[in-house]
Amino acid sequence: MIGQQPMARGWAVAAALSLAVHGAAAGAFLWRPALPWQEPTPAPAQIQVSALPLPTLAPETEVLRPITAPAPPEPETGPEPALAPAVPQGASPVLTSSALPTGREAAPPQPEPQPEAGAETGPDADPRLVALFQRIRSQLTAPCLLALPALDAEGRIRLNLLAADDAQIPGLLRALTQGLETGVDGQAVLLDRRQCPALAFARRDARYPVFPLGINLQSQDVASGASLRGTISGGAGRQVTLLLIDDNGVTHDLRRFMVSAGGQIRFDLPIARDGAGRDTHQLLLAVATPARPASVSAGAGELAETFFERLAREVGPEALVGVSSVYVRAKS
């Protein structure tokens, strides 16, 4: 039968092709090859949260406590006001700490209170300060020089020497500190000559090198853009004015940055340096008077030479003074 054999062969071929196609489809389903256009989306990465150690803070700048003399008492009112005996110029100042030298005034004999056990009293309580003060008064005679003694946390003496001529500072520090029974650490504080009138105003106080007002800074090295913080002590019962004399000689009134609370005066002000850094420091000067001087508000922003000439004429020699300095680091 001529027509039947080719038909049977065609069915066989069709059956074989069908089996091959279905087998390939089943293999593809089971194998699932990674085709270039069908790359699987990567699974999201796992985030692990762990506690990081806090960065180690740089050690804080050492805080020094200025050595101050007590403010004179307020004049008493009444029919017979008590007059304070005069203190001879050049006498050792009366200091607040029992470990510091004290000067005695002439007074009628009276029973003296017994000192507490272990307390040091009397003019010879701390001879190292007496000798240091004598050297300062006798050797620092130039107008633009100021020595500020202070105590560190361990009671060691620190001496900041403020001057506008850095060439003379090392020799003066050696002359003031060498040969003393107790070592004194000296530190140079370079000023601009335009700040010198403020030093001359402060040195009018006969109690120099200690002052009635103490300016305690949180740090004497402040980064530009940070805050300058501190307190003022010794001005109770008086109007206290705080001035900043920058290293361009301009005088700034810091009244709006001061807060008086609990018998203590605090100040907190942002401070910044424009331009490149300099080696010179900024000068802080506190003045306590019975009333706020009119020349302060009128002369704020003037150069120190003009400002302190007016202020000296207005307040006279009775104003209480305190001095400190701060270095403002330029932004890196």
Side-chain angles (χ1 to χ4, degrees):
M1 297 179 50
I2 300 173
Q4 294 180 353
Q5 187 175 0
M7 183 178 297
R9 186 181 299 165
W11 280 107
V13 173
L17 289 175
S18 177
L19 289 174
V21 170
H22 284 84
F29 179 77
L30 297 175
W31 178 36
R32 291 185 180 179
L35 301 177
W37 60 84
Q38 293 181 346
E39 292 184 358
T41 304
Q46 295 294 324
I47 299 176
Q48 183 178 3
V49 180
S50 59
L52 298 177
L54 294 177
T56 303
L57 299 178
E60 296 183 357
T61 305
E62 183 179 17
V63 178
L64 301 180
R65 178 169 58 88
I67 300 174
T68 59
E74 295 286 348
E76 298 181 5
T77 57
E80 296 181 0
L83 300 177
V87 179
Q89 186 172 0
S92 297
V94 182
L95 304 177
T96 55
S97 174
S98 61
L100 304 179
T102 58
R104 296 183 178 177
E105 303 172 353
Q110 57 183 357
E112 296 184 0
Q114 296 297 323
E116 297 180 3
E120 296 181 356
T121 58
D124 298 328
D126 202 336
R128 60 181 185 161
L129 288 175
V130 175
L132 178 61
F133 293 164
Q134 291 174 349
R135 290 188 182 188
I136 292 173
R137 292 189 180 105
S138 62
Q139 297 183 27
L140 295 189
T141 56
C144 196
L145 287 174
L146 193 81
L148 293 178
L151 300 176
D152 63 13
E154 286 74 29
R156 294 188 299 265
I157 303 176
R158 297 293 182 90
L159 183 65
N160 285 352
L161 182 57
L162 286 62
D165 184 2
D166 56 350
Q168 63 178 337
I169 293 179
L172 288 172
L173 283 175
R174 286 194 299 270
L176 292 173
T177 60
Q178 282 185 349
L180 294 176
E181 294 182 3
T182 303
V184 177
D185 297 328
Q187 180 178 354
V189 177
L190 183 63
L191 300 178
D192 188 281
R193 290 197 176 276
R194 291 168 290 187
Q195 296 168 297
C196 291
L199 298 189
F201 175 85
R203 287 183 56 155
R204 303 180 317 153
D205 195 317
R207 287 160 291 206
Y208 171 75
V210 292
F211 293 106
L213 302 184
I215 303 177
N216 300 271
L217 299 181
Q218 188 179 77
S219 175
Q220 290 187 305
D221 188 319
V222 179
S224 179
S227 292
L228 173 62
R229 300 184 178 95
T231 60
I232 304 173
S233 58
R238 295 172 173 83
Q239 292 287 328
V240 177
T241 300
L242 182 61
L243 305 169
L244 185 145
I245 304 92
D246 65 29
D247 52 5
N248 292 314
V250 179
T251 305
H252 305 265
D253 179 14
L254 304 184
R255 181 182 186 181
R256 64 193 181 101
F257 302 103
M258 299 168 59
V259 175
S260 180
Q264 190 177 48
I265 299 176
R266 297 181 177 274
F267 57 90
D268 186 338
L269 66 144
I271 190 167
R273 171 179 285 284
D274 293 331
R278 296 177 59 186
D279 293 335
T280 46
H281 290 61
Q282 317 306 310
L283 189 63
L284 289 166
L285 194 146
V287 183
T289 49
R292 178 173 167 83
S295 59
V296 172
S297 299
E302 294 181 339
L303 291 177
E305 182 178 6
T306 304
F307 181 91
F308 285 100
E309 183 180 355
R310 275 192 216 159
L311 182 62
R313 288 199 305 265
E314 180 180 2
V315 302
E318 289 77 22
L320 308 182
V321 177
V323 182
S324 186
S325 64
V326 62
Y327 182 71
V328 180
R329 289 180 279 111
K331 293 182 178 179
S332 57

